[in-house]
Amino acid sequence: MLSRRNFLTAAVGVAAATGLAACAKEDGTSAAAAGSGSGSKAITLGFSQVGSESGWRTANSDSVKSAAKEAGYTLKFSDAQQKQENQISAIRNYIAQKVDVIAFSPVVVTGWDAVLKEAKAAKIPVVLTDRSVETSDDSLYVTLVGSDFTDEGRRAAKILEKVLEKAGHKGAVKIAQLEGTTGAAPAIERAKGFKEVMEADHADDWKVVVSQTGDFTRAGGKQVMAAFLQSNPDINVLFAHNDDMAIGAIQSIEAAGKKPGKDILIVSIDGVKDGFVAMSEGKINAIVECNPLLGPQLMEVVKKVKDGETVERWIKTKESDFMQDQAKDALPTRKY
Ligand code: AHR
């Protein structure tokens, strides 16, 4: 298994296949015609997106599309609707079309070896974006451009300490956790980071009393939180792996006659505009940012990979944390 903590610099010894494909089978977006054309117009990038499950994902897709256009690349973009089999067939299509580079944000961490070996055999370099995979062979992808999800989980636990202090909370902390998509890197790693801090510093007073996936969607967050409130009406904290699930959960908390942000303190991850709106209304107490605007960095990396340059094994995203009292000031300048 490849660790996301692996900072090894990888030499990219992959000679990229050339030749533009005639057309994309899925949602093919030709960016080349409108691009700057600054020497990179020959690059064809096949990108397989997870889906459109959240505000974060919409911002991420927009960022990839506009950065590809800006760079003058031909982008072949497909939305996998959160299904691994759709991503595998999109990648196989990109291999058949002989794109220069394949990038994808894997819906789950396991099950990629076979298709990645096919890309390697076709000499098409693969760049992971946003989420990592577990592979048997380090050489099956070149680099990951994305966040440190374990650290986001740790930061969520640390900011919860501040939230509890600010609320003057005394006594047991009974936490409900809304997990992301089962088997996805952000779900696994955020839970891990949060647990790490909880076990090290709060073994006596904090407990995750209930934890289930809401699949990173609003509908999932709403439905699962309603069930949580039925089975555990004494929950006093919600840790949601993304803002959309927190926003869905808020609806169920209000429907149960409780005040989100007061009766149930809420910490979530992402920092999308709707999350900031909920925070400025006092319904979310703190947000750990996860930046979706990965497009420009991805295009730079793709160019380097295509040119056979050396890139870092993991190109990390810079992020901040926000408490509720910062929400109103920060909201007008949020970019997503
Ligand atoms: O992989 C990033 C996660 O996926 C975001 O936190 C979530 O909102 C998205 O769906």
Side-chain angles (χ1 to χ4, degrees):
M1 167 182 160
L2 271 183
S3 164
R4 290 184 60 133
R5 278 167 292 179
N6 182 351
F7 283 94
L8 284 179
T9 296
V12 182
V14 189
T18 54
L20 298 177
C23 62
K25 184 168 179 273
E26 293 94 359
D27 170 19
T29 306
S30 175
S36 63
S38 55
S40 53
K41 62 182 179 298
I43 296 179
T44 297
L45 170 65
F47 186 91
S48 169
Q49 181 59 287
V50 170
S52 45
E53 72 282 3
S54 62
W56 190 100
R57 190 62 56 195
T58 305
N60 180 248
S61 294
D62 290 349
S63 174
V64 169
K65 287 175 184 174
S66 63
K69 191 171 177 178
E70 179 66 25
Y73 299 175
T74 296
L75 175 70
K76 295 175 181 296
F77 184 97
S78 63
D79 175 338
Q81 297 174 336
Q82 287 186 280
K83 291 197 174 71
Q84 183 174 34
E85 61 268 31
N86 292 347
Q87 288 203 293
I88 290 174
S89 68
I91 293 168
R92 290 206 166 113
N93 269 321
Y94 297 146
I95 295 170
Q97 291 171 29
K98 297 186 168 49
V99 300
D100 295 306
V101 179
I102 291 171
F104 77 113
S105 176
V107 61
V108 289
V109 290
T110 54
W112 301 104
D113 273 24
V115 74
L116 291 179
K117 280 179 187 160
E118 291 167 33
K120 189 179 178 187
K123 297 190 170 25
I124 300 177
V126 174
V127 173
L128 301 180
T129 163
D130 165 34
R131 300 179 178 182
S132 59
V133 297
E134 289 173 10
T135 55
S136 57
D137 174 357
D138 278 19
S139 73
L140 293 179
Y141 72 89
V142 180
T143 181
L144 164 68
V145 180
S147 304
D148 184 337
F149 298 134
T150 309
D151 199 49
E152 288 174 353
R154 290 187 200 110
R155 283 158 52 205
K158 296 309 281 179
I159 211 161
L160 176 58
E161 292 171 353
K162 288 192 200 164
V163 165
L164 290 164
E165 194 188 327
K166 200 155 195 292
H169 183 90
K170 301 271 176 273
V173 177
K174 298 184 179 178
I175 304 166
Q177 177 173 236
L178 274 171
E179 301 163 28
T181 303
T182 304
I188 297 167
E189 293 165 13
R190 286 170 183 166
K192 179 173 164 242
F194 188 87
K195 191 171 176 215
E196 203 179 286
V197 174
M198 190 176 78
E199 289 183 349
D201 302 337
H202 303 284
D204 297 336
D205 51 340
W206 292 16
K207 190 169 182 213
V208 174
V209 293
V210 65
S211 183
Q212 205 181 302
T213 181
D215 213 12
F216 281 130
T217 65
R218 273 183 208 206
K222 183 178 176 187
Q223 192 189 328
V224 176
M225 190 69 199
F228 283 172
L229 289 164
Q230 287 278 326
S231 61
N232 296 72
D234 54 350
I235 291 162
N236 48 27
V237 166
L238 169 65
F239 168 40
H241 286 189
N242 79 347
D243 291 345
D244 280 82
M245 290 191 295
I247 291 164
I250 286 168
Q251 294 173 28
S252 292
I253 293 169
E254 288 174 334
K258 294 184 187 244
K259 284 203 168 66
K262 293 212 162 48
D263 299 328
I264 298 183
L265 303 170
I266 303 179
V267 171
S268 69
I269 298 181
D270 274 358
V272 294
K273 267 197 185 127
D274 286 353
F276 268 80
V277 169
M279 198 156 62
S280 66
E281 291 169 350
K283 296 179 180 182
I284 292 180
N285 300 82
I287 292 180
V288 168
E289 186 181 45
C290 177
N291 189 347
L293 306 180
L294 304 176
Q297 255 179 322
L298 174 64
M299 299 314 144
E300 260 177 50
V301 168
V302 163
K303 172 95 171 69
K304 286 186 182 164
V305 167
K306 165 88 167 40
D307 293 346
E309 284 181 39
T310 298
V311 295
E312 276 179 30
R313 183 74 177 153
W314 182 10
I315 298 161
K316 280 203 212 179
T317 319
K318 291 196 181 75
E319 289 150 352
S320 313
D321 301 332
F322 296 88
M323 290 288 283
Q324 199 176 72
D325 53 14
Q326 297 168 278
K328 282 203 174 97
D329 285 346
L331 187 53
T333 58
R334 294 304 293 167
K335 291 198 175 69
Y336 52 90

